[in-house]
Amino acid sequence: MGFDMNAFSLAGKKAIVTGGAKKTGLCYGMAVALHDAGAEIVILDANSQVENTVAELGGAKSGYHAVVANLLDLNDLSNGFQQAISALGGRLDILVNGAGLQYRCPSEEFPEDAWDRIMGVNIKGVFFMSQLAGKVMLKQGKGKIINIASTNSFIGLRNMPAYVSSKGGVKQLTMALSSEWSGRGINVNAIAPGYMDTEMNVALTDPKNPKFTQQRYDELTQRIPAHRWGTPDDMKGICVFLASPASDYITGA
């Protein structure tokens, strides 16, 4: 029996991607990849720039929709989710929990407000978006949830206590939701990027940034087995795979 390459198609699927307002980010790259594989997309972001980003992609006539919602506010999160579902015609096949925050500071000086913002978006927001999506997907009997974890889900780098804690939580939450929902048709998996050349890491990658040092950049680059930083393009294939029927027997990974 041959392999059906249509297993990678997302034709007719409906997807929400959180984050993605900025075209240099991982979430934008994943949203475009899902769309190019056939899905209709809502990009949900707290930054109103998402409306311009979606307009540049062609808007609703091209299968893209924008929703502005603050994941730190559960009422706004819920309202944003309902707007997204409405834009998608009441169905949801794919949720990518991509929105995330980071703040670097020595642990002995780490401020409470930064802790609360990071935990609020990176883990609380992920859970409650997943809960809302889960309710829709459980009724449908099928769905794919893709969380964005990190290598910091497995190790603890310096000066990022909240980020590391939140991404450890994403790893555990992915497994917990998978344990509950995989037998009911929902696959829950996570992608754990390593060193990525995005706006979140400009202090490490951009020579124009006052915190950048060539020595630090070179040291970090040598840690990467491929000896280069990842890009949004590097997220596209794995995201489409985990969203597609080709990964129907993969869950909790």
Side-chain angles (χ1 to χ4, degrees):
M1 182 181 295
F3 178 70
D4 182 5
M5 290 301 293
N6 288 326
F8 292 99
S9 173
L10 301 180
K13 301 296 186 182
K14 312 287 188 177
I16 296 173
V17 178
T18 68
K22 297 181 180 180
K23 293 189 287 186
T24 56
L26 303 183
C27 302
Y28 176 88
M30 291 185 289
V32 169
L34 295 176
H35 175 270
D36 289 351
E40 185 176 3
I41 307 294
V42 169
I43 302 179
L44 185 153
D45 199 296
N47 189 337
S48 61
Q49 182 182 331
V50 68
E51 296 176 338
N52 292 332
T53 299
V54 163
E56 290 175 10
L57 288 167
K61 68 180 184 297
S62 297
Y64 285 102
H65 310 274
V67 171
V68 179
N70 182 3
L71 299 183
L72 286 169
D73 182 321
L74 289 187
N75 287 330
D76 207 38
L77 181 155
S78 180
N79 289 337
F81 180 85
Q82 296 306 325
Q83 290 177 47
I85 291 295
S86 178
L88 295 172
R91 182 174 180 85
L92 181 64
D93 302 291
I94 303 155
L95 169 66
V96 179
N97 282 308
L101 300 176
Q102 186 188 104
Y103 182 76
R104 288 184 172 87
C105 177
S107 292
E108 66 270 23
E109 300 170 6
F110 205 89
E112 181 182 9
D113 62 338
W115 178 275
D116 289 344
R117 288 196 308 274
I118 291 168
M119 299 299 283
V121 171
N122 292 12
I123 185 62
K124 185 177 179 179
V126 169
F127 173 71
F128 284 102
M129 282 295 295
S130 298
Q131 184 185 70
L132 291 167
K135 290 177 180 179
V136 174
M137 293 174 177
L138 288 170
K139 289 179 181 178
Q140 296 170 173
K142 195 166 186 63
K144 299 292 184 87
I145 296 176
I146 303 168
N147 297 324
I148 304 305
S150 167
T151 51
N152 279 291
S153 300
F154 307 93
I155 61 175
L157 294 182
R158 299 169 55 189
N159 298 331
M160 297 188 294
Y163 184 80
V164 170
S165 298
S166 69
K167 291 302 183 179
V170 169
K171 168 182 171 289
Q172 295 299 108
L173 178 61
T174 298
M175 294 190 292
L177 294 180
S178 176
S179 294
E180 289 192 53
W181 292 346
S182 60
R184 301 161 73 187
I186 303 177
N187 299 71
V188 187
N189 291 292
I191 303 170
Y195 291 106
M196 308 301 285
D197 189 4
T198 64
E199 185 172 335
M200 186 178 284
N201 289 319
V202 291
L204 301 174
T205 62
D206 185 358
K208 297 178 183 177
N209 189 285
K211 295 183 179 179
F212 175 86
T213 68
Q214 190 65 49
Q215 180 181 356
R216 179 66 170 154
Y217 175 81
D218 291 342
E219 288 174 353
L220 294 176
T221 303
Q222 286 304 309
R223 291 183 190 177
I224 304 170
H227 298 314
R228 71 168 179 85
W229 290 60
T231 71
D233 283 346
D234 293 314
M235 300 288 286
K236 292 180 176 180
I238 184 64
C239 185
V240 170
F241 171 61
L242 290 176
S244 75
S247 62
D248 277 353
Y249 202 61
I250 298 175
T251 188

